[in-house]
């Protein structure tokens, strides 16, 4: 048991438990008016703590076992480059984000993950010492707040992700690492299996993918990572937190190449029933840390929790306001709506877009 009397992340995963992650913070807060698109920096942790706190609380209520600190793109070089934060330091943001995540996590039995992400510095000069110094600064700030474990997320290059893992591992805490890559591999062409091997050799305890592509593509990528680890004789727990939008075009750079990015993605949103299917497929693929990234809202996390309720042994508080597989519709006054109060209906539904002249798929900008 950890210092707060709950199992830590590795104890849960080693015991075969399903760990439900949280959903997307940056995109949801942008839609709610607290994050500026393009910059995507997390100063709202200082400027609007009530908004960050509420979103954490919704994910916790939906069944999340882990709350990630709202520290995406919070390296000093990114904050400076964005020009969006002139009177708030990275330290202030990191510390405030840790406090908010901890406050809400302690309302349940959730863990807090301190998160670092890719840096502009890496693409600018590939200076290992400089990049690692940025990660170390964030790590030291997180350690002052006694987070439970670390996640290095949203990396497009295995090299930079491995550097992050190497730094975070010096803390002595568990480290997870997720890359925003497709089944084609990272942006240097390194296959997913080799990316996973590099991350585990750097010290990662948990590896997988997050963001950029939909559940179908992400599950395929994690399977390739698992195969690479097996070939190398290495072991690690598997983690997945995909995009909450359909991206069947499955282009190398992900949803940022779609013409709808970032202000018209709603037409591609996953339904809760899509998430039920995703959660089951991820579980059957041997993935035990299952969550979501950009586009995943609280009801999507609830869908993961409900789909895996037998494996977890309980339902989340948010399920008190949701009839499983539409069961609450049995009370509807319209007979054709009452007929939808069954699993078979929702599992076989093919949702229409309602947009007469819209194509089913788009031509990505990078093709």
């Amino acid at each position: 048991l950890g210092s707060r009397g709950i199992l830590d992340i590795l104890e849960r995963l080693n015991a075969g438990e399903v760990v439900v992650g949280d959903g997307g913070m940056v995109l949801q807060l942008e839609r709610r008016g607290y994050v500026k698109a393009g910059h995507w920096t997390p100063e709202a942790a200082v400027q609007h703590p009530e908004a960050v706190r509420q979103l954490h609380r919704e994910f916790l209520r939906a069944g999340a076992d882990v709350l990630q600190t709202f520290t995406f793109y919070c390296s000093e070089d990114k904050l400076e480059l964005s020009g969006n934060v002139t009177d708030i330091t990275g330290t202030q943001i990191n510390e405030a984000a840790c406090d908010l995540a901890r406050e809400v996590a302690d309302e349940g039995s959730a863990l807090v993950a301190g998160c670092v992400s890719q840096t502009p510095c890496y693409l600018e000069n590939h200076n290992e010492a400089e990049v690692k110094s940025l990660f170390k600064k964030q790590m030291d700030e997180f350690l002052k707040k006694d987070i439970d474990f670390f996640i290095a997320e949203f990396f497009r290059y295995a090299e930079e992700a491995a550097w992050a893992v190497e730094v975070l591992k010096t803390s002595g805490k568990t480290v997870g690492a997720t890359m925003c890559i497709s089944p084609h591999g990272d942006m240097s062409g390194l296959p997913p299996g080799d990316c996973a091997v590099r991350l585990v050799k750097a010290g990662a305890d948990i590896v997988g993918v997050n963001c950029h592509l939909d559940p179908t593509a992400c599950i395929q990528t994690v399977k390739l990572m698992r195969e690479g680890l097996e070939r190398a004789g290495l072991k690690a727990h598997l983690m997945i937190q995909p995009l909450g939008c359909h991206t069947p075009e499955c282009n190398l750079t992900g949803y940022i190449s779609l013409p709808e990015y970032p202000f018209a993605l709603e037409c591609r949103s996953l339904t809760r029933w899509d998430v039920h299917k995703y959660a089951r497929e991820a579980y059957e693929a041997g993935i035990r840390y299952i969550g979501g990234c950009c586009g995943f809202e609280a009801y999507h996390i609830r869908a993961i929790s409900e789909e895996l309720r037998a494996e977890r042994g309980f339902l989340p508080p948010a399920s008190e306001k949701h009839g499983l597989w539409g069961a609450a519709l049995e009370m509807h006054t319209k007979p054709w709506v009452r007929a939808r109060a069954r699993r078979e209906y929702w599992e076989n539904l093919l949702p229409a877009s309602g947009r007469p002249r819209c194509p089913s798929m788009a031509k990505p900008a990078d093709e």
Side-chain angles (χ1 to χ4, degrees), residues 101-180:
R102 173 60 67 202
E103 175 189 344
V104 178
D106 285 350
E107 294 174 4
S109 58
L111 300 170
V112 173
C115 297
V116 303
S117 53
Q118 64 182 7
T119 65
C121 175
Y122 175 78
L123 287 180
E124 182 180 338
N125 56 34
H126 290 257
N127 186 309
E128 181 176 357
E130 186 175 351
V131 172
K132 284 187 171 181
S133 70
L134 293 170
F135 294 139
K136 186 178 186 305
K137 181 178 184 299
Q138 286 184 274
M139 179 188 74
D140 290 342
E141 290 164 357
F142 291 140
L143 289 175
K144 291 177 184 177
K145 294 296 182 178
D146 191 31
I147 50 87
D148 294 301
F149 69 104
F150 286 104
I151 297 178
E153 65 167 356
F154 201 77
F155 285 88
R156 301 170 72 193
Y157 293 87
E159 181 178 57
E160 186 184 16
W163 291 352
V165 170
E166 289 169 359
V167 171
L168 298 177
K169 199 63 180 176
T170 64
S171 68
K173 291 184 177 288
T174 298
V175 177
T178 55
M179 300 186 65
C180 52

Side-chain angles (χ1 to χ4, degrees), residues 13 22 43 164 272 274 357:
L13 292 172
D22 57 5
E43 61 274 8
R272 66 194 68 191
D274 292 326
R357 293 189 294 275

Side-chain angles (χ1 to χ4, degrees), residues 272-273 322-349:
R272 66 194 68 191
W273 316 118
H322 185 238
L324 298 179
W325 295 103
L329 297 180
E330 291 175 350
M331 300 184 64
H332 204 280
T333 58
K334 301 294 187 290
W336 61 88
V337 178
R338 287 199 301 274
R340 298 171 186 169
R342 55 194 174 92
R343 178 172 183 158
E344 182 183 10
Y345 176 85
W346 296 109
E347 278 191 321
N348 295 297
L349 178 69

Side-chain angles (χ1 to χ4, degrees), residues 86-338:
T86 58
D87 58 349
I88 303 173
T89 66
T91 299
Q92 288 176 296
I93 296 172
N94 287 325
E95 292 183 351
C98 287
D99 288 342
L100 289 167
R102 173 60 67 202
E103 175 189 344
V104 178
D106 285 350
E107 294 174 4
S109 58
L111 300 170
V112 173
C115 297
V116 303
S117 53
Q118 64 182 7
T119 65
C121 175
Y122 175 78
L123 287 180
E124 182 180 338
N125 56 34
H126 290 257
N127 186 309
E128 181 176 357
E130 186 175 351
V131 172
K132 284 187 171 181
S133 70
L134 293 170
F135 294 139
K136 186 178 186 305
K137 181 178 184 299
Q138 286 184 274
M139 179 188 74
D140 290 342
E141 290 164 357
F142 291 140
L143 289 175
K144 291 177 184 177
K145 294 296 182 178
D146 191 31
I147 50 87
D148 294 301
F149 69 104
F150 286 104
I151 297 178
E153 65 167 356
F154 201 77
F155 285 88
R156 301 170 72 193
Y157 293 87
E159 181 178 57
E160 186 184 16
W163 291 352
V165 170
E166 289 169 359
V167 171
L168 298 177
K169 199 63 180 176
T170 64
S171 68
K173 291 184 177 288
T174 298
V175 177
T178 55
M179 300 186 65
C180 52
I181 60 174
S182 76
H184 298 290
D186 78 351
M187 294 303 291
S188 68
L190 192 68
D194 293 339
C195 289
V197 168
R198 182 157 190 175
L199 293 175
V200 172
K201 286 185 175 180
D205 305 286
I206 309 165
V207 297
V209 295
N210 78 295
C211 209
H212 266 216
L213 291 163
D214 62 24
T216 300
C218 287
I219 289 174
Q220 183 182 353
T221 303
V222 177
K223 286 180 177 179
L224 293 172
M225 293 179 124
R226 182 191 63 201
E227 292 170 4
L229 293 175
E230 290 173 350
R231 285 193 301 269
L234 298 172
K235 291 184 179 181
H237 292 290
L238 301 176
M239 175 177 176
I240 185 169
Q241 300 208 123
L243 189 70
C245 302
H246 293 283
T247 60
E249 296 87 342
C250 200
N251 50 91
L252 181 61
T253 54
Y255 77 133
I256 60 174
S257 295
L258 295 175
E260 298 90 357
Y261 174 84
F263 300 125
L265 290 168
E266 290 85 352
C267 60
R268 291 177 172 267
S269 293
L270 301 180
T271 69
R272 66 194 68 191
W273 316 118
D274 292 326
V275 176
H276 272 268
K277 180 181 177 183
Y278 147 61
R280 181 55 54 189
E281 290 180 350
Y283 182 85
E284 292 178 353
I287 305 168
R288 292 296 179 266
Y289 189 131
I290 303 171
C293 201
C294 291
F296 264 74
E297 299 187 40
Y299 72 93
H300 292 121
I301 302 305
R302 181 179 62 186
I304 297 173
S305 301
E306 291 181 347
E307 176 61 32
L308 299 174
R309 65 191 183 280
E311 289 79 5
R312 301 181 79 208
F314 63 92
L315 286 170
S319 291
E320 296 172 2
K321 296 295 184 180
H322 185 238
L324 298 179
W325 295 103
L329 297 180
E330 291 175 350
M331 300 184 64
H332 204 280
T333 58
K334 301 294 187 290
W336 61 88
V337 178
R338 287 199 301 274

